[in-house]
Amino acid sequence: MPKVFYITTPLYYVNAAPHIGHAYTTLAADILARHKKRKGQSVFFLTGTDEHGANIEKIASQAKVGQTEWVDRVVGQFKNMWAELGIEYDDFIRTTEERHTRRVQEIFERLHKRGDITLGTYEGLYCLPCENYWDAGDLAPGNKCPVHDRPVETVREASYFFKLSKYQAPLLEYYAAHPEFLAPPRRAKEIINFVQAGLRDLSVSRTQVRWGIPVPFDSKHTIYVWFDALLNYITAAGYGAAEPGRFQALWPADVQLVGKEIYRFHTVIWPAMP
Ligand SMILES: [Zn+2]
């Protein structure tokens, strides 16, 4: 099977209705997909939604609806918007779909068996809207999240960790060997500096979040929403599925569009993960 031009939008988080930023990125992807199709290339254009995590739990409860009802509602809004804008995606993946959750559990288990995921304790400064811990040095004055301008909380929990530190040297070698991997160049420099400064292992499970994919061998934990979500780019492409050749024809993606807030996740954690 010849290589298909594979383009992805970010996986949109369904904490709120879609806005102009989502439209901007998705239109850009749609334009590129149409351009490639017009030139006769086979194209696979993926978009979708990121639906798990503490933030969705909280927002659904504030809205006095179940999590499933909440995510279904917002997914409907995204799909309506893409229909109105004439976006011609080839697939729309939801992280609550079985085709995704099953593969995420398989990958988590495999990384655990391989020793790339181990159990430990995490204590950190957490921002709920970010779904992410912050380094003290990166906080705004008053111990505030620099993105949301709200105080972070100290959270301590048992957690599985992904050995991201082990991939510092391989990542730097990869960036050096594939200068086209990181774009634009200004962002590439930031990422290389960040990785050169040293990588810490990444907490990839939560005991206090129920709205997530369960860790298959330890039901007290759910899988951290970012670890879950990033894998959509391969689960949608048929990774681990019984369709011979499909994944090989798609992967690696040719273009992955991401916003600057999530660039680091996509350029450091994502290439180290599977
Ligand atoms: Zn934040």
Side-chain angles (χ1 to χ4, degrees):
M1 212 183 276
K3 178 74 177 83
V4 173
F5 186 85
Y6 182 21
I7 179 166
T8 67
T9 70
L11 198 66
Y12 298 123
Y13 201 51
V14 294
N15 57 329
H19 56 66
I20 192 80
H22 300 114
Y24 172 78
T25 312
T26 307
L27 275 169
D30 190 60
I31 289 164
L32 183 55
R34 284 168 192 260
H35 170 69
K36 292 289 179 185
K37 280 175 191 167
R38 190 159 291 188
K39 285 172 73 181
Q41 257 182 285
S42 334
V43 173
F44 185 69
F45 168 17
L46 176 72
T47 190
T49 42
D50 173 9
E51 305 185 14
H52 290 125
N55 210 12
I56 300 298
E57 261 176 4
K58 189 178 161 193
I59 285 165
S61 101
Q62 281 167 351
K64 298 191 167 49
V65 296
Q67 290 102 350
T68 302
E69 188 182 341
W70 174 265
V71 299
D72 285 350
R73 182 192 298 175
V74 180
V75 167
Q77 292 169 339
F78 271 93
K79 287 188 170 172
N80 286 342
M81 183 152 105
W82 302 152
E84 274 178 40
L85 291 173
I87 303 292
E88 292 179 353
Y89 55 79
D90 296 295
D91 195 1
F92 187 114
I93 189 163
R94 302 181 55 176
T95 57
T96 48
E97 288 173 328
E98 198 261 347
R99 62 170 169 154
H100 176 76
T101 58
R102 188 154 56 105
R103 300 289 170 228
V104 170
Q105 287 185 318
E106 284 169 8
I107 292 165
F108 197 96
E109 189 155 19
R110 198 181 66 231
L111 292 179
H112 181 247
K113 281 197 182 126
R114 195 165 86 188
D116 272 0
I117 287 180
T118 53
L119 188 61
T121 304
Y122 192 86
E123 183 179 307
L125 303 164
Y126 193 77
C127 173
L128 194 63
C130 285
E131 298 268 355
N132 197 22
Y133 288 99
W134 282 93
D135 290 336
D138 291 335
L139 291 175
N143 278 348
K144 285 182 174 171
C145 164
V147 176
H148 294 99
D149 192 36
R150 68 198 287 285
V152 293
E153 298 160 47
T154 300
V155 174
R156 191 167 202 280
E157 59 179 330
S159 175
Y160 286 92
F161 285 84
F162 172 61
K163 293 215 171 304
L164 186 61
S165 55
K166 179 176 145 185
Y167 291 96
Q168 180 182 4
L171 281 168
L172 290 170
E173 282 162 25
Y174 189 83
Y175 301 150
H178 303 87
E180 76 291 353
F181 182 71
L182 298 171
R186 186 166 62 88
R187 295 283 167 201
K189 203 162 181 307
E190 284 173 15
I191 291 300
I192 291 166
N193 290 342
F194 173 76
V195 175
Q196 277 172 341
L199 293 175
R200 275 187 293 174
D201 293 341
L202 178 73
S203 167
V204 289
S205 76
R206 298 287 180 266
T207 52
Q208 290 162 18
V209 178
R210 287 295 91 200
W211 181 244
I213 302 175
V215 169
F217 47 85
D218 187 346
S219 59
K220 292 192 296 298
H221 293 255
T222 55
I223 295 172
Y224 175 45
V225 62
W226 268 103
F227 184 94
D228 153 9
L230 286 166
L231 289 168
N232 90 90
Y233 303 120
I234 58 173
T235 60
Y239 179 84
E243 281 175 82
R246 177 161 180 263
F247 182 69
Q248 287 69 21
L250 288 172
W251 197 254
D254 295 272
V255 174
Q256 298 211 262
L257 293 175
V258 297
K260 64 181 188 304
E261 309 79 15
I262 57 173
Y263 192 71
R264 196 186 282 180
F265 287 93
H266 282 79
T267 53
V268 179
I269 299 171
W270 173 226
M273 262 171 53

